[in-house]
Amino acid sequence: MTILARGCTHGCLPDEVKKVLKSVASDLGDSIHDLNTLQVIPLKGAMTNQVYQINWPTTPSATEEGLIRKVLLRVYGEGVELFFNRDDEIRTFECMSNHGQGPRLLGRFSQGRVEEFIHAKTLSAADLRDPRISALIAAKLQEFHDLDMHGPRRVLLWDRIRNFLKEAKRLCSKKDAEEFQLNTLEEEISVLEKELSTDSQRVGFCHNDLQYGNIMMDEETNSLTIIDYEYASYNPIAYDLANHFCEMAANYHTETPHLLDYSIYPDEEERRRFVTIYLNSAGKQSSDQDQVELLSDAEKYTLANHLFWGLWGMISNYVNNIEFDYMEYAKQRFQQYWLRKAILLGPAVKIVGVCEAEIPTVLAEKGHTPRSCCHNSSLGDQKA
């Protein structure tokens, strides 16, 4: 059994983790006599934490033979405290559980926790494009946004992006700071906040990281469970939709999980279908105007999303030891920011230090064709 994380040594479970697992087993009615018999299975796809499936045989009863008990062990990644407050995340986790959403919290240790194992299929990148599954996600996201959660209904997006920028400036080398033009981003954030923040925007409790790996589906009932609430907070719902659309360009279970393909970003028809189902699942028929406005707002919020995850990638490059090319990921998100800004808000002045006319050449030199880096912009052209 090998867990590679803070406080964990090669080839064994730390004593603290063993103690918590033994306590969890006891609470579940099991007795683990030999902790070395625990089966530890690494789960792929996580980019912030390290996640493991832990198995042990249940204690047989007089009427039932012993089965295999499964729990999920989450070991917090390096530097996560730069991205979110862990105590807030735990409160969110417990509140979600009280709402009947997500797994139960079974135990905690200093660098992680033990969660209920959800017996359901984790979605794949391809599942997000299945119209039937996408419709289920749209309805589930509407339900998620309507949850009555702890804390004030205050938008946290802009404060978080500014905090990320501050940390990126503190951590990054002078070369990286200049290449990504970090000194220009404060102004970019202010422009976006002014442009996108409106009195009429709907604010709800947003997941903020709705990639396919954070959605599970019971294949018998077709019910969905949204998991992993580390970045969850109150935000404009259009931002959460924007994040989900951007995640459709990713596949984190390939040989190159950091590479994004924006040629498969959902086109206007696919996005509108999602938005329509989302709005109508609230119990009333939405108007064309409602759909167009939310669709337009979501497209504009992709800009904020690119900045958020671009800065996240830069910071992660310096603090996280998970095998993932965070800096290349960040570069792609910033490239998308400058490209899409030209369409959605006005002319792009620069892209990682390059004028707009040189973008196709530079992208080709970096191994990205213009087609793979630009996504459908029909709606953006109409609204620009």
Side-chain angles (χ1 to χ4, degrees):
M1 298 177 296
T2 303
I3 294 183
L4 306 177
R6 292 181 293 171
C8 301
T9 58
H10 292 263
C12 68
L13 287 168
D15 289 340
E16 182 189 17
V17 177
K18 290 180 180 179
K19 183 178 179 181
V20 171
L21 287 172
K22 192 169 185 177
S23 175
V24 168
S26 178
D27 291 342
L28 295 174
D30 300 331
S31 179
I32 302 177
H33 299 292
D34 184 0
L35 288 166
N36 291 319
T37 63
L38 291 172
Q39 183 182 17
V40 181
I41 304 173
L43 301 179
K44 296 180 179 180
M47 293 181 293
T48 300
N49 306 301
Q50 292 182 328
V51 183
Y52 304 85
Q53 176 183 324
I54 309 293
N55 299 345
W56 66 77
T58 61
T59 301
S61 66
T63 59
E64 191 178 66
E65 293 185 4
L67 303 173
I68 298 298
R69 180 84 68 188
K70 300 177 182 179
V71 298
L72 187 137
L73 177 68
R74 183 181 303 277
V75 182
Y76 303 147
E78 295 276 3
V80 295
E81 64 277 358
L82 300 180
F83 300 124
F84 50 82
N85 183 290
R86 182 60 70 181
D87 290 336
D88 286 345
E89 190 263 340
I90 289 289
R91 281 193 291 271
T92 297
F93 190 98
E94 293 174 334
C95 190
M96 293 295 294
S97 182
N98 292 335
H99 279 292
Q101 305 273 345
R104 290 180 296 137
L105 178 64
L106 301 179
R108 296 176 64 180
F109 53 98
S110 60
Q111 300 298 343
R113 63 176 181 253
V114 181
E115 303 171 13
E116 175 187 14
F117 189 90
I118 301 293
H119 294 273
K121 167 193 171 183
T122 302
L123 295 191
S124 67
D127 287 331
L128 297 188
R129 317 312 291 268
D130 183 318
R132 179 181 65 88
I133 296 176
S134 181
L136 295 174
I137 295 171
K140 186 67 177 182
L141 191 55
Q142 164 68 47
E143 177 188 331
F144 193 97
H145 288 163
D146 277 348
L147 291 174
D148 183 17
M149 300 294 287
H150 63 87
R153 297 178 66 89
R154 183 176 69 86
V155 171
L156 294 184
L157 174 62
W158 306 110
D159 285 347
R160 281 186 169 178
I161 295 178
R162 288 189 173 94
N163 287 338
F164 281 15
L165 176 58
K166 178 181 177 181
E167 292 298 335
K169 287 180 176 180
R170 181 178 67 85
L171 291 168
C172 286
S173 66
K174 182 178 180 181
K175 176 178 177 294
D176 286 339
E178 291 177 352
E179 180 180 2
F180 287 90
Q181 299 190 1
L182 295 187
N183 287 335
T184 71
L185 294 187
E186 182 63 49
E187 181 180 354
E188 294 295 324
I189 296 167
S190 295
V191 168
L192 280 185
E193 182 178 15
K194 182 179 179 179
E195 177 73 21
L196 303 185
S197 301
T198 63
D199 293 336
S200 61
Q201 71 179 0
R202 179 184 158 202
V203 174
F205 192 76
C206 295
H207 186 275
N208 301 319
D209 187 21
L210 199 62
Q211 51 122 323
Y212 64 85
N214 288 335
I215 310 171
M216 306 189 76
M217 183 172 73
D218 186 317
E219 294 183 275
E220 292 185 4
T221 65
N222 285 334
S223 64
L224 297 184
T225 300
I226 295 176
I227 62 172
D228 290 1
Y229 319 118
E230 291 166 322
Y231 298 95
S233 69
Y234 281 105
N235 266 335
I237 62 163
Y239 175 78
D240 221 11
L241 269 65
N243 182 89
H244 183 62
F245 294 152
C246 286
E247 288 293 348
M248 292 186 186
N251 187 339
Y252 302 117
H253 290 79
T254 66
E255 293 298 316
T256 52
H258 60 283
L259 292 184
L260 304 169
D261 182 3
Y262 285 99
S263 71
I264 61 172
Y265 181 87
D267 60 19
E268 181 179 347
E269 180 182 356
E270 186 174 358
R271 299 194 313 272
R272 181 149 188 175
R273 182 173 64 242
F274 188 96
V275 164
T276 301
I277 295 170
Y278 172 91
L279 290 171
N280 291 345
S281 65
K284 63 178 182 179
Q285 197 72 14
S286 60
S287 67
D288 285 347
Q289 182 179 351
D290 291 336
Q291 296 165 19
V292 170
E293 286 181 356
L294 182 53
L295 197 54
S296 175
D297 289 346
E299 273 302 278
K300 290 181 179 179
Y301 266 109
T302 60
L303 298 175
N305 193 251
H306 290 315
L307 287 186
F308 183 97
W309 291 112
L311 290 167
W312 172 89
M314 294 188 72
I315 297 167
S316 296
N317 181 70
Y318 287 90
V319 302
N320 207 317
N321 59 11
I322 292 176
E323 289 187 21
F324 186 84
D325 193 338
Y326 291 103
M327 197 58 85
E328 179 60 29
Y329 175 86
K331 188 173 296 185
Q332 293 168 90
R333 297 306 296 251
F334 280 113
Q335 286 170 344
Q336 277 299 301
Y337 172 78
W338 294 113
L339 286 165
R340 294 298 293 162
K341 181 189 175 188
I343 296 168
L344 297 172
L345 297 184
V349 178
K350 36 183 130 44
I351 169 176
V352 195
V354 182
C355 69
E356 184 179 2
E358 297 172 313
I359 286 173
T361 301
V362 172
L363 295 182
E365 290 173 353
K366 294 179 181 297
H368 305 296
T369 65
R371 181 175 180 272
S372 69
C373 287
C374 301
H375 60 67
N376 185 293
S377 59
S378 57
L379 179 70
D381 290 336
Q382 295 170 19
K383 295 295 181 181

